[in-house]
Amino acid sequence: VMRLTKPTLFTNIPVTCEEKDLPGDLFNQLMRDDPSTVNGAEILMLGEMLTLPQNFGNIFLGETFSSYISVHNDSNQVVKDILVKADLQTSSQRLNLSASNAAVAELKPDCCIDDVIHHEVKEIGTHILVCAVSYTTQGGEKMYFRKFFKFQVLKPLDVKTKFYNAESDLSSVTDEVFLEAQIQNITTSPMFMEKVSLEPSIMYNVTELNSVSQAGECVSTFGSRAYLQPMDTRQYLYCLKPKKEFAEKAGIIKGVTVIGKLDIVWKTNLGERGRLQTSQLQRMAPGYGDVRLSLEAIPDTVNLEEPFHITCKITNCSSERTMDLVLEMCNTNSIHWCGISGRQLGKLNPSSSLCLALTLLSSVQGLQSISGLRLTDTFLKRTYEYDDIAQVCVVSSTIQVES
C-alpha cells in the first residue's frame, strides 16, 4: 500500500560569499552548476525540481485521502478467485473503499492486481486502512490474509465564531445579526483560501462584508493575495437579516435559532484541495421579555437645553396575552422629558406594536444616555424599566471663537 500525494518543490540551502572573500567565486559557481537551482536566481532556496514524498506525511480533515493498493503473486503457481477488499475504519464507522467487489478469475506468477482508492476525510483522529485478500490455490485450498495501516487525521483549521446583535432602524423585529468567523491555519504550510462563505438557514438572508468597492470593482479586504500563513488568523464578517415572512412574526426568532453553516475551501502545495463545513451555527436571540421598546428615529447631535424628538416603537412580544400599557417618564440628572407622565397608551394586542413620538432635552453637554422610561401593564400590575436606550451627543448652541 502506498499513499498517493503530489510531489513537493525541491529546496536547497544556498551558500554564497562576496568575491573579495577567500573562496572568491567558488561558491557562486557551484550553485550555478547545481541542476536543482533556478537559472539566474541561484540564491533562492526554491528549486525547479520536484521531490517525491519521502514518508506518509500528514492527512488533514477535509482533504481527499488517496492510496495505491497492489497485490503481487510472489509464488510460482497460478492462484484463482482473488478478491481484494479495502475498508477504512474510523472511530465511528467502517467504510468500504474498494472500487469493485468482483473477484479476479486468476493471477499468474509475477503478476499483480492494482487498485486506487479515494476518500474525503470527514473525521479527525485515528484511521485504520484494512486491506483483506482472499484467494484459492491450485490445490483448491482457500487462503485469506489482512494487513492494517494506521494513520492520524489532523485538524487543519481552528474556527471560532462570534455573534453581534444590532437593532435595525426601520423595524424592531427585523434585527440584523453580524457573524464574525475567525479562521486560523494550524498546519505547518501556507494555504490558499479559495472560498469562505456562509450558507444561511431558511430564516435568514446573508450579505458578505469581506470586500470593498473600488473603481466599480469589488476588492477583497485581505488584498490580492489570499494566502494564509501557518498560525495566521483571518476574520470574516457576515450580516444576516431575517426574511420578511419570519421577521413579521416576533415570536419565531426568539430563543435559539439556527443561523447557517460555514463552507471553507482551500488549496495547499501544488493545488491539493481541502474543504470543511461547520455544523449548524446556533445563535441565542436576545431576550426582550414580554414588552420590547426600541428606537425608530433619534438625532445624532442635539443642542444644549433645546427640545429634540425621538420615535419609539413598543412591541408586545407575547403571542397570547393582550396588554394595557401606561407610560411613565422619569427625569435623570442630564435628561429631562417633556410631556405628561403616566398617560394611557391603550390596549396592545399580541405580537403587535405601536409607534410613539416623545420630546426631551438635555441640561448637560457631552455624550448623554437616554434613560427613564417605564411601561406598566395594568392587567398584571407589572412594570418594565428601560434605561440606557440610546446615546446622543449634546453640544452648546453657541460657539465662542477666541480672537
Side-chain angles (χ1 to χ4, degrees):
V1 175
M2 181 179 66
R3 183 191 174 193
L4 298 179
T5 58
K6 292 188 177 181
T8 57
L9 291 172
F10 178 79
T11 57
N12 53 26
I13 301 177
V15 180
T16 184
C17 65
E18 296 183 0
E19 293 183 359
K20 63 181 180 180
D21 290 338
L22 183 61
D25 194 45
L26 177 62
F27 291 156
N28 294 331
Q29 186 60 42
L30 289 175
M31 286 193 298
R32 286 192 290 268
D33 296 339
D34 190 344
S36 65
T37 59
V38 179
N39 187 22
E42 292 82 8
I43 60 175
L44 293 178
M45 292 184 62
L46 205 60
E48 293 182 317
M49 292 187 175
L50 297 176
T51 304
L52 293 176
Q54 303 299 307
N55 50 44
F56 192 81
N58 295 323
I59 300 179
F60 293 101
L61 184 68
E63 294 183 343
T64 299
F65 168 70
S66 300
S67 183
Y68 167 71
I69 300 175
S70 179
V71 178
H72 187 265
N73 185 359
D74 293 333
S75 68
N76 55 5
Q77 299 179 358
V78 177
V79 295
K80 299 180 179 180
D81 301 328
I82 305 96
L83 180 62
V84 181
K85 187 178 180 182
D87 292 340
L88 186 64
Q89 178 69 54
T90 69
S91 58
S92 63
Q93 58 184 333
R94 190 183 182 104
L95 303 169
N96 181 20
L97 304 183
S98 300
S100 174
N101 293 322
V104 179
E106 66 175 22
L107 184 62
K108 297 180 180 180
D110 291 329
C111 293
C112 60
I113 300 174
D114 300 325
D115 191 14
V116 176
I117 58 174
H118 304 281
H119 174 66
E120 184 179 348
V121 182
K122 299 181 180 179
E123 296 181 40
I124 61 175
T126 303
H127 287 55
I128 302 176
L129 180 62
V130 183
C131 298
V133 180
S134 61
Y135 60 94
T136 304
T137 63
Q138 282 186 336
E141 184 180 4
K142 293 186 176 181
M143 306 295 290
Y144 175 83
F145 68 91
R146 291 188 302 174
K147 283 194 174 183
F148 301 89
F149 303 90
K150 183 186 293 187
F151 58 91
Q152 294 289 331
V153 175
L154 306 177
K155 186 179 177 182
L157 298 170
D158 186 25
V159 181
K160 297 179 181 178
T161 57
K162 295 181 181 179
F163 289 105
Y164 303 92
N165 301 303
E167 293 187 358
S168 172
D169 294 333
L170 299 177
S171 175
S172 61
V173 294
T174 57
D175 292 350
E176 295 177 345
V177 180
F178 290 91
L179 169 64
E180 177 190 349
Q182 298 180 358
I183 300 178
Q184 183 182 25
N185 177 10
I186 57 176
T187 69
T188 57
S189 59
M191 288 182 177
F192 173 77
M193 305 304 293
E194 184 174 299
K195 183 183 75 168
V196 179
S197 62
L198 177 64
E199 298 178 0
S201 65
I202 60 173
M203 296 175 59
Y204 290 92
N205 292 318
V206 64
T207 302
E208 293 192 10
L209 304 177
N210 304 307
S211 61
V212 293
S213 179
Q214 292 183 357
E217 296 183 358
C218 288
V219 180
S220 172
T221 55
F222 306 110
S224 58
R225 298 181 180 179
Y227 289 98
L228 190 60
Q229 297 295 333
M231 304 312 296
D232 279 1
T233 302
R234 276 187 181 172
Q235 286 133 323
Y236 295 84
L237 187 62
Y238 304 90
C239 176
L240 297 108
K241 294 182 181 180
K243 294 181 180 178
K244 185 177 180 180
E245 57 267 30
F246 297 103
E248 292 175 347
K249 301 177 182 179
I252 293 183
I253 59 175
K254 292 173 63 177
V256 179
T257 56
V258 175
I259 294 294
K261 56 185 178 180
L262 287 170
D263 186 15
I264 307 170
V265 180
W266 71 91
K267 291 182 179 179
T268 55
N269 296 334
L270 297 179
E272 292 175 290
R273 188 171 179 172
R275 181 183 181 184
L276 278 182
Q277 280 190 332
T278 64
S279 57
Q280 291 288 351
L281 303 175
Q282 292 185 336
R283 163 239 184 187
M284 174 63 74
Y288 300 107
D290 295 331
V291 184
R292 178 181 179 187
L293 186 144
S294 60
L295 285 181
E296 293 290 290
I298 181 174
D300 295 329
T301 306
V302 298
N303 291 330
L304 179 67
E305 298 180 347
E306 290 186 8
F308 62 94
H309 306 282
I310 64 173
T311 302
C312 298
K313 190 169 189 178
I314 301 172
T315 303
N316 181 356
C317 296
S318 173
S319 59
E320 300 176 352
R321 187 168 57 85
T322 300
M323 298 181 179
D324 188 16
L325 299 176
V326 175
L327 174 66
E328 295 182 8
M329 300 179 291
C330 304
N331 294 334
T332 65
N333 293 333
S334 59
I335 295 296
H336 306 275
W337 296 92
C338 304
I340 301 174
S341 179
R343 60 170 164 159
Q344 295 279 345
L345 298 181
K347 293 183 180 180
L348 190 61
N349 294 323
S351 301
S352 60
S353 59
L354 62 88
C355 289
L356 193 63
L358 299 174
T359 305
L360 61 161
L361 61 85
S362 176
S363 59
V364 180
Q365 295 187 67
L367 192 63
Q368 302 300 327
S369 179
I370 297 177
S371 303
L373 287 180
R374 305 290 182 264
L375 288 173
T376 301
D377 182 8
T378 58
F379 288 155
L380 295 182
K381 307 298 182 183
R382 183 179 298 171
T383 299
Y384 304 92
E385 300 181 357
Y386 299 95
D387 295 317
D388 298 323
I389 304 169
Q391 291 181 324
V392 64
C393 181
V394 181
V395 298
S396 175
S397 57
T398 59
I399 302 176
Q400 297 180 356
V401 181
E402 296 182 1
S403 57

